[in-house]
């Protein structure tokens, strides 16, 4: 009899824990990436797929931030080195792609076959995990720069509006 009671109590505690886990499930809103050591956030509504590095064919006489073109799932995509585009690093003489680098394609709703080359993925994040930072950057920001967020470790993450980025004049004329 005592075993049945103990088993029933265990089942009840497990059911309560499972219910609590369901209620506190965080919904991911952001894809966290790093470019030149800077934490960036892409809205999951504006980013599409993540690809492992593939051969990128350079485009002669292109802007320095245009890494080239790549075949992703049978489609030809323009590849933008995001760190170079944002001015976070100079373009290297030889553009070697690190094994942890990834290509993040823009949503098909943005109507551009474009992928952003980032240094590494940092995972999915929710708004609850990344509250707005108390201090926001001073001065003018590009239209594609959203709010600054901070994680529990104190690291800053900059929102990047991929739709606004894709509509930048210098970006659009090269990529479209």
């Amino acid at each position: 009899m005592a075993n049945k009671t103990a088993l029933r109590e265990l089942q009840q505690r497990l059911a309560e824990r499972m219910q609590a886990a369901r209620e506190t499930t965080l919904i991911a809103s952001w894809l966290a990436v790093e470019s030149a050591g800077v934490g960036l956030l892409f809205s999951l509504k504006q980013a599409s797929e993540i690809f492992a590095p593939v051969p990128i064919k350079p485009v002669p006489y292109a802007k320095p931030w245009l890494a080239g073109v790549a075949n992703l799932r049978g489609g030809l995509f323009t590849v933008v080195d995001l760190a170079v585009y944002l001015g976070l690093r100079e373009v290297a003489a030889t553009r070697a792609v690190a094994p942890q680098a990834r290509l993040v394609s823009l949503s098909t709703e943005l109507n551009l076959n474009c992928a952003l080359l980032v240094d590494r993925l940092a995972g999915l994040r929710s708004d609850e995990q990344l509250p707005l930072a108390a201090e926001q950057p001073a001065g003018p920001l590009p239209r594609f720069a959203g709010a600054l967020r901070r994680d529990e470790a104190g690291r800053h993450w900059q929102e990047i509006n991929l739709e606004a980025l894709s509509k930048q004049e210098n970006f659009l004329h090269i990529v479209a």
Side-chain angles (χ1 to χ4, degrees):
M1 183 83 149
N3 286 342
K4 283 186 179 181
T5 305
L7 181 59
R8 213 173 277 129
E9 289 174 1
L10 176 62
Q11 289 174 328
Q12 180 65 27
R13 284 194 310 266
L14 287 174
E16 289 171 0
R17 285 184 185 171
M18 289 175 64
Q19 182 62 32
R22 272 192 275 291
E23 291 172 357
T24 60
T25 299
L26 300 175
I27 298 173
S29 305
W30 304 102
L31 173 62
V33 302
E34 289 183 5
S35 284
V38 175
L40 303 171
L41 298 170
F42 301 152
S43 167
L44 291 179
K45 294 176 183 173
Q46 297 175 342
S48 182
E49 290 186 69
I50 299 168
F51 298 92
V54 297
I56 299 171
K57 297 290 184 186
V59 176
Y61 308 109
K63 298 282 187 185
W65 44 264
L66 186 75
V69 293
N71 180 345
L72 302 175
R73 284 193 197 247
L76 191 61
F77 282 72
T78 304
V79 178
V80 172
D81 186 329
L82 189 58
V84 176
Y85 182 83
L86 296 176
L88 300 174
R89 103 171 130 234
E90 295 292 322
V91 65
T94 58
R95 197 183 293 258
V97 178
Q100 72 272 15
R102 293 292 180 263
L103 297 170
V104 179
S105 65
L106 301 183
S107 170
T108 55
E109 294 176 6
L110 300 179
N111 295 319
L112 288 176
N113 278 3
C114 178
L116 302 174
L117 177 63
V118 297
D119 294 340
R120 85 174 193 88
L121 298 178
L124 298 175
R125 301 288 193 277
S126 69
D127 287 334
E128 291 81 14
Q129 292 172 308
L130 294 168
L132 292 174
E135 66 284 346
Q136 291 295 314
L141 293 174
R143 287 184 322 172
F144 57 82
L148 189 63
R149 295 179 173 269
R150 183 188 294 254
D151 65 17
E152 61 189 25
R155 181 172 184 192
H156 285 99
W157 294 87
Q158 178 67 56
E159 291 178 17
I160 300 293
N161 182 324
L162 296 178
E163 182 176 12
L165 176 72
S166 71
K167 291 180 179 176
Q168 293 287 300
E169 187 175 338
N170 62 348
F171 191 92
L172 186 59
H173 290 299
I174 297 294
V175 177

